[in-house]
Amino acid sequence: MDASELERLDARLRDEVNVPAGDDARIRASLETAALYVERAIGGYSVPGAVRDDCIISCAADLYNGRDARLGVMDAGDPTLTQPFRVSSDPLRGVWAKLNAAGVPTGGLVVA
């Protein structure tokens, strides 16, 4: 990911995760890692740039928020909330359906 693309996606990710300033290293690491995951998920298929960017932002947001969701449970930090939020441990969970809709066959079954 080049510097101009990183800068462009930085603003979108900050808007997505509601972090207007600061935490630069974590934002950058989330974007760089998400870009690698998404490129691997796309494989040899061709997708429009807007779809690719949307997938990177979705994945990066999940990676960024993952620190606050250890073992898949996120504490919102609000004492009035009694139920924990369940968060998928798959950073591409929000990406699979988007890629499938864009013509990348992602499948629906994972066999370990």
Side-chain angles (χ1 to χ4, degrees):
M1 177 179 300
D2 65 24
S4 65
E5 182 179 22
L6 186 61
E7 185 177 324
R8 181 175 53 80
L9 293 177
D10 180 278
R12 286 188 58 190
L13 178 58
R14 287 178 185 283
D15 181 57
E16 184 75 19
V17 297
N18 198 25
V19 178
D23 219 358
D24 297 341
R26 189 168 156 208
I27 290 283
R28 181 183 189 105
S30 297
L31 281 169
E32 290 173 346
T33 302
L36 293 171
Y37 285 153
V38 169
E39 288 306 318
R40 290 290 183 134
I42 291 172
Y45 290 89
S46 177
V47 298
V51 172
R52 180 184 170 278
D53 289 354
D54 185 41
C55 289
I56 289 172
I57 295 302
S58 292
C59 181
D62 287 345
L63 290 170
Y64 182 86
N65 288 322
R67 182 173 79 179
D68 299 324
R70 294 294 180 215
L71 301 174
V73 180
M74 182 173 71
D75 178 8
D78 184 343
T80 63
L81 297 174
T82 58
Q83 296 296 318
F85 295 94
R86 300 280 176 206
V87 178
S88 174
S89 60
D90 178 2
L92 291 170
R93 177 139 168 78
V95 173
W96 296 125
K98 293 175 183 187
L99 289 179
N100 200 22
V104 178
T106 60
L109 177 64
V110 176
V111 178

